[in-house]
């Protein structure tokens, strides 16, 4: 049986109405959309432009200026490696290299099939656990390159069980 995925729906008109006339409304609207969808699709930006009267160019100005906003769907497995000082000194670069060896994904990229993305973070505040890797927000501390494959297999197994 083929996997069926559906994009969550959101009420853009209600979101736009909630923030109408408030300072910083565009950023708050975009945060709300991204929180719900995981990114801000182009068709959503077009609709927000229509609903708010904000030119599409201004919406994209905000979306592309702030690193937080994503214009493409998130990967199924979002992997981050802390590269703060403690993690860096304890081998974060080796974890990033091992992730590339396993997934074929370079830091800052998403695999073509949308399964994996790999990002470097500057500090996650878990210095005592260095080096730290996160998969879909779950923190793994004291990770060695030899642990990476087992962690990914564990997460994928859990995902298959929950499907």
């Amino acid at each position: 049986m083929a996997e069926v995925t559906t994009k969550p729906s959101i009420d853009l008109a209600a979101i736009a109405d909630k923030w109408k006339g408030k300072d910083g409304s565009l950023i708050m609207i975009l945060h709300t959309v991204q929180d719900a969808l995981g990114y801000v699709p182009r068709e959503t930006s077009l609709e927000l432009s229509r609903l708010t009267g904000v030119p599409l160019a201004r919406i994209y100005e905000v979306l592309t200026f702030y690193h937080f906003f994503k214009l493409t769907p998130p990967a199924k497995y979002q992997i981050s490696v802390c590269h703060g000082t403690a993690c860096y000194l304890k081998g974060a670069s080796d974890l990033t290299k091992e992730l590339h060896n396993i997934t074929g994904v370079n830091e800052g990229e998403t695999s073509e099939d949308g399964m994996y993305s790999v990002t470097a973070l500057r500090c996650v505040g878990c210095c005592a656990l260095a080096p730290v890797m996160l998969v879909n927000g779950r923190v793994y501390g004291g990770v060695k390159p030899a642990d990476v494959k087992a962690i990914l297999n564990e997460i994928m197994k859990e995902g298959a069980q929950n499907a």
Side-chain angles (χ1 to χ4, degrees), residues 79 99 102-103 116 135 148-156:
I79 307 162
L99 282 164
I102 294 169
T103 66
Y116 304 102
V135 181
V148 172
K149 188 167 189 154
I151 291 169
L152 295 180
N153 286 339
E154 173 191 327
I155 293 294
M156 290 172 37

Side-chain angles (χ1 to χ4, degrees), residues 112-129:
E112 286 186 26
D113 63 3
M115 290 295 288
Y116 304 102
S117 65
V118 177
T119 57
L121 302 174
R122 294 302 143 222
C123 184
V124 296
C126 298
C127 302
L129 301 175

Side-chain angles (χ1 to χ4, degrees), residues 26-135:
L26 179 56
I27 289 177
M28 296 311 298
I29 290 168
L30 295 172
H31 274 292
T32 303
V33 169
Q34 183 158 295
D35 287 347
L37 302 177
Y39 73 114
V40 182
R42 179 163 174 77
E43 60 273 8
T44 300
S45 297
L46 287 165
E47 181 65 10
L48 284 174
S49 177
R50 188 187 67 72
L51 289 168
T52 62
V54 174
L56 184 61
R58 175 70 180 135
I59 291 172
Y60 269 86
E61 203 173 64
V62 171
L63 287 172
T64 58
F65 179 81
Y66 293 103
H67 189 293
F68 172 81
F69 291 115
K70 306 295 180 222
L71 300 175
T72 56
K76 182 172 183 176
Y77 301 106
Q78 299 170 52
I79 307 162
S80 302
V81 177
C82 179
H83 280 255
T85 303
C87 290
Y88 182 80
L89 292 174
K90 290 192 173 191
S93 295
D94 295 333
L95 297 181
T96 303
K97 286 176 191 169
E98 185 62 14
L99 282 164
H100 174 75
N101 291 340
I102 294 169
T103 66
V105 178
N106 292 314
E107 184 220 319
E109 296 179 351
T110 299
S111 61
E112 286 186 26
D113 63 3
M115 290 295 288
Y116 304 102
S117 65
V118 177
T119 57
L121 302 174
R122 294 302 143 222
C123 184
V124 296
C126 298
C127 302
L129 301 175
V132 173
M133 182 172 95
L134 293 86
V135 181

